[in-house]
Amino acid sequence: METTDQDDVAAIGGDPTLLLVDDDKPFLQRLARAMETRGFTVAIADSVEAGLASVKTHAPAYAVVDMRLGDGNGLDIIEAIRARREDTRAVILTGYGNIATAVNAVKLGAIDYLSKPADADEVFAALTRRSGEKVAPPENPMSADRVRWEHIQRVYEMCDRNVSETARRLNMHRRTLQRILAKRAPR
């Protein structure tokens, strides 16, 4: 069994409560164990419904929430946490990263937005980073294909996920847009 590092405990502060919400159960269990070894008191949920129930019982000081869950959007949990406790440090995790949803997450109260696969060190750093502390720039900047994909995703979100309206605004055939949206993001 690993011991908790005193620096980790100091970075967490007085309230170590952490809510982890993700529908990928193996990932959720690994992250929960890793965060417990760093000094957090972890509660887990694998759905929006379970996450909202946990927030009603006790609003945590920290939260890591997956954006897309089987029964809805993780941003609903961020909103519920913010309504009950404004000082919660929440991080959004997602395998479907794009700029529009990152901006939306921050507007709703998330302090950071991490793309999967994120490891426990990245999550811990995001949760304990203090305001004003700068994040190191990425070693591998986005490719031109990724920038294009991000732009399409941003317009798609602005059009309330309406494919026809997005295609019209991007001056693109609707079927072409559907094929792009069905693919994973380029690296």
Side-chain angles (χ1 to χ4, degrees), residues 123-153:
V123 172
F124 184 79
L127 288 171
T128 58
R129 186 177 301 118
R130 295 297 160 216
S131 59
E133 196 176 326
K134 293 186 179 178
V135 179
E139 290 184 28
N140 299 322
M142 283 193 282
S143 67
D145 288 337
R146 178 64 187 230
V147 172
R148 176 180 180 258
W149 188 85
E150 293 278 350
H151 175 67
I152 290 169
Q153 290 293 321

Side-chain angles (χ1 to χ4, degrees), residues 27-28 69 82 90 102 109 129:
F27 173 76
L28 182 63
L69 297 160
R82 280 290 183 218
R129 186 177 301 118

Side-chain angles (χ1 to χ4, degrees), residues 21-177:
V21 185
D22 199 310
D23 53 3
D24 178 351
K25 289 183 176 133
F27 173 76
L28 182 63
Q29 294 298 331
R30 281 192 313 274
L31 186 59
R33 280 193 304 274
M35 293 295 112
E36 284 172 347
T37 63
R38 287 169 171 79
F40 284 104
T41 303
V42 178
I44 61 172
D46 61 0
S47 66
V48 171
E49 183 181 350
L52 292 173
S54 181
V55 169
K56 285 180 186 172
T57 306
H58 176 72
Y62 298 90
V64 178
V65 180
D66 189 10
M67 176 73 100
R68 291 190 184 175
L69 297 160
D71 64 340
N73 191 326
L75 292 178
D76 295 338
I77 298 169
I78 300 295
E79 279 186 296
I81 291 170
R82 280 290 183 218
R84 293 184 54 96
R85 185 172 178 170
E86 293 209 7
D87 66 331
T88 297
R89 298 183 57 79
V91 172
I92 289 289
L93 262 184
T94 187
Y96 306 92
N98 68 58
I99 294 168
T101 52
V103 169
N104 196 20
V106 170
K107 284 181 180 177
L108 290 173
I111 59 164
D112 209 338
Y113 184 92
L114 299 175
S115 292
K116 286 182 178 178
D119 65 20
D121 291 333
E122 291 174 301
V123 172
F124 184 79
L127 288 171
T128 58
R129 186 177 301 118
R130 295 297 160 216
S131 59
E133 196 176 326
K134 293 186 179 178
V135 179
E139 290 184 28
N140 299 322
M142 283 193 282
S143 67
D145 288 337
R146 178 64 187 230
V147 172
R148 176 180 180 258
W149 188 85
E150 293 278 350
H151 175 67
I152 290 169
Q153 290 293 321
R154 184 172 62 251
V155 174
Y156 183 54
E157 291 293 329
M158 286 174 18
C159 294
D160 294 325
R161 305 177 72 81
N162 181 316
V163 175
S164 296
E165 178 64 15
T166 304
R168 187 188 65 74
R169 288 186 184 197
L170 292 172
N171 197 23
M172 176 183 286
H173 195 279
R174 186 179 51 78
R175 286 189 183 152
T176 303
L177 176 61

